[in-house]
Amino acid sequence: MLTDTDLQAIGLTLQVAALTTVILLLVGTPLAWWLAHTRSWVKKPLSALVALPIVLPPSVLGFYLLVFMGPQGTLGQWMQALGLGLLPFTFTGLVVASVFYSMPFMVQPIQNAFEAMGTRPLEVAASLRASPMDAFFSVVVPLCKPGFVTGTIMCFAHTVGEFGVVLMVGGNIPGATRVVSVQIYDHVEAMEYSDAHRLAAVMLSFSFMVLLVLNMVNSARRKTGGA
Amino acid sequence: MKFSLKPLLLSALTLAFSAPGLAEQTQIAVAANFAEPIKAIAAVLEKTTGHTLKVTLGATGKLYAQIKNGAPFDVLLAANTATPAALEKDGLAKTGSSFTYANGKLVLWSADTTRVDAKGEVLQGNSFHKLAYANPKTAPYGEAAVQVMDKLGLTSSLTPKLVQGESIGQAFHFVYTGNAEIGFVAMSQVLEGGKLKGGSMWVVPQALYQPIQQNAVLLQHGANNAAAQALVQLLQSPNIKNLIRSYGYDL
């Protein structure tokens, strides 16, 4: 069925997507919280910045990331100053690129959930002397669970489906940066159509399953009348 | 009799657009290594004949796949001889129309002016982390780079350092941005007016790789396109041959 390099690409893709999702849960949640509650003028430009990858062609993002992470780029110079080496063509580099690329898919659903919840539940929690941390984990997280679930699934799935950015900054290295989408592209370019077909079919079923699960989560939420 | 302007206007318009020698446009596919020269050639073509070129760049293998799947290109400037020959055999190109427009040269190049020495000894050492080259499955220059590494017996030591561009254009971009310190690119990418534009290079000796003979072919889609035919003629004219040589090609 699938070749060894196909399986390697699938394993790599799942690792990049999982790591990106975990990082964005940790980074995206406070960002979404801040965006949902701030009255600062920075809110609008920052929201626009977070949403950019939705409208930006991956080639633009990939091009800028390659420059930004390169030896003359800002991030590249920091990385070198810290003795960490450069990011392009590495697994870490792919994860960093994916975090930028998938950020809106995590932040926006969570921010929407926070905004829909409003401040009332927190005021009640505070009047019952819950600490902010306690209130967050025992009131906010359960109430906003659908937002977290949607964000997590969308972020993971979107990272799995990433193509343009990884093609631009990845360097197509087996086991390090050759993810499934690039592997399929490679098969097609080399006219290995049956290999391309098998791997593409796997991606197709995966994407369908993700959307099916997402719909089921959403309709369950409507039935129980959750936030 | 009622006089109508309409037929008169229509015939005038038809005449204007079918006048002999009027400029036409042609859509052509060009191997990425020829990106710079084709710009200069397009300018000459437009100046001398009024015809305009619309250029699609890519790795030869990718362009072949596109043409096989019905891409509306009139001429292909490949980076090998095999692809034009295959297109003739497939009936997608005019039989016997394939000709050599350039012989490509491979160079090892760095954007850093001191990194690559005149003998390519940098390849033996450990002074770099990444070596860029084009995808050998689809780009003849990538295939040539693989032959060079094999011939030098460096394949196993260089493999962990390799990064692959989808075409020679992307491989060049990796080196140009400094993300790969060195890379195998086409001489035409780093030369202008016969001089190195910047950085440092080693011209890989011809003995280390199969000659990169680059053929062009007139595709069936462009068989009746005046601009396509003019381009094919222009590519074989002495002036253009000199121009092509100035980008580091043999001819």
Side-chain angles (χ1 to χ4, degrees):
Chain A
M1 256 300 270
L2 295 169
T3 66
D4 284 352
T5 48
D6 287 347
L7 293 172
Q8 195 180 35
I10 290 176
L12 190 71
T13 307
L14 296 177
Q15 280 178 48
V16 172
L19 256 169
T20 304
T21 308
V22 171
I23 292 171
L24 275 176
L25 266 174
L26 297 176
V27 177
T29 305
L31 182 61
W33 182 260
W34 187 81
L35 284 173
H37 293 101
T38 184
R39 293 211 178 101
S40 158
W41 65 272
V42 191
K43 175 176 174 164
K44 287 210 165 84
L46 201 66
S47 301
L49 209 62
V50 168
L52 262 185
I54 296 178
V55 291
L56 217 52
S59 53
V60 174
L61 205 61
F63 175 75
Y64 278 128
L65 280 171
L66 199 58
V67 173
F68 179 61
M69 304 194 301
Q72 270 90 46
T74 319
L75 185 59
Q77 302 221 322
W78 287 349
M79 293 293 293
Q80 281 176 315
L82 295 170
L84 294 170
L86 290 168
L87 287 170
F89 319 129
T90 62
F91 177 81
T92 318
L94 276 203
V95 174
V96 170
S98 303
V99 164
F100 282 108
Y101 177 73
S102 294
M103 180 143 346
F105 296 86
M106 182 65 93
V107 172
Q108 290 190 342
I110 298 180
Q111 186 187 339
N112 290 343
F114 286 163
E115 281 169 355
M117 180 191 75
T119 50
R120 182 81 186 127
L122 281 179
E123 287 161 15
V124 174
S127 72
L128 295 170
R129 293 193 195 154
S131 70
M133 267 299 162
D134 186 12
F136 183 80
F137 284 105
S138 43
V139 177
V140 178
V141 172
L143 275 179
C144 299
K145 197 173 127 201
F148 281 103
V149 173
T150 306
T152 304
I153 295 177
M154 288 299 285
C155 173
F156 187 85
H158 193 66
T159 311
V160 167
E162 178 176 352
F163 172 64
V165 173
V166 290
L167 192 73
M168 296 284 287
V169 304
N172 201 353
I173 303 166
T177 61
R178 188 188 285 169
V179 293
V180 172
S181 56
V182 174
Q183 175 82 352
I184 294 173
Y185 179 77
D186 219 61
H187 281 319
V188 175
E189 294 296 273
M191 286 182 278
E192 299 157 354
Y193 294 132
S194 53
D195 291 317
H197 192 54
R198 275 190 284 270
L199 198 53
V202 172
M203 274 307 284
L204 188 67
S205 355
F206 168 79
S207 310
F208 177 76
M209 291 305 291
V210 166
L211 292 176
L212 189 65
V213 168
L214 209 59
N215 275 336
M216 280 155 58
V217 170
N218 281 334
S219 67
R221 169 170 40 147
R222 271 194 295 278
K223 267 186 206 131
T224 56
Chain B
M1 194 174 98
K2 205 178 152 196
F3 181 75
S4 163
L5 252 179
K6 210 172 155 194
L8 200 72
L9 260 176
L10 271 179
S11 49
L13 273 174
T14 320
L15 254 178
F17 282 100
S18 61
L22 202 80
E24 273 198 58
Q25 192 176 63
T26 176
Q27 179 96 38
I28 64 169
V30 179
N33 74 85
F34 209 64
E36 290 293 322
I38 197 67
K39 276 188 223 160
I41 293 169
V44 174
L45 185 75
E46 193 166 352
K47 216 173 153 191
T48 55
T49 65
H51 296 308
T52 47
L53 291 184
K54 278 179 90 177
V55 176
T56 298
L57 293 168
T60 298
K62 170 180 167 170
L63 297 170
Y64 176 63
Q66 290 181 337
I67 293 164
K68 279 210 76 155
N69 289 297
F73 297 126
D74 299 325
V75 179
L76 167 70
L77 273 66
N80 60 8
T81 55
T83 302
L87 285 167
E88 283 186 17
K89 221 178 117 208
D90 296 337
L92 290 165
K94 243 183 123 188
T95 314
S97 70
S98 168
F99 66 95
T100 303
Y101 66 95
N103 290 292
K105 280 195 213 151
L106 190 70
V107 298
L108 184 71
W109 181 68
S110 170
D112 181 338
T113 50
T114 55
R115 196 178 292 270
V116 176
D117 54 282
K119 287 180 178 166
E121 276 163 2
V122 59
L123 282 175
Q124 328 262 351
N126 264 322
S127 65
F128 62 96
H129 296 98
K130 292 293 170 205
L131 168 65
Y133 71 131
N135 188 342
K137 278 196 210 168
T138 54
Y141 282 84
E143 209 183 324
V146 170
Q147 291 166 4
V148 172
M149 292 185 276
D150 276 346
K151 269 260 170 71
L152 293 173
L154 295 172
T155 304
S156 58
S157 69
L158 289 175
T159 300
K161 300 181 171 183
L162 293 181
V163 291
Q164 211 178 85
E166 289 317 299
S167 69
I168 197 78
Q170 203 189 356
F172 177 80
H173 183 59
F174 285 158
V175 187
Y176 183 77
T177 54
N179 283 299
E181 295 96 329
I182 59 175
F184 284 108
V185 299
M187 198 183 214
S188 53
Q189 293 174 302
V190 298
L191 232 55
E192 197 173 72
K195 277 193 195 142
L196 187 62
K197 277 189 276 185
S200 50
M201 74 166 171
W202 169 51
V203 182
V204 181
Q206 194 60 73
L208 294 177
Y209 62 99
Q210 293 284 318
I212 307 176
Q213 191 184 343
Q214 304 191 188
N215 275 18
V217 73
L218 183 63
L219 301 169
Q220 290 297 3
H221 189 272
N224 296 315
N225 182 310
Q229 287 160 354
L231 172 69
V232 166
Q233 262 178 14
L234 190 67
L235 281 171
Q236 300 175 75
S237 73
N239 277 346
I240 293 297
K241 283 185 178 177
N242 278 335
L243 183 117
I244 293 173
R245 276 188 208 106
S246 76
Y247 285 93
Y249 293 97
D250 277 339
L251 201 59

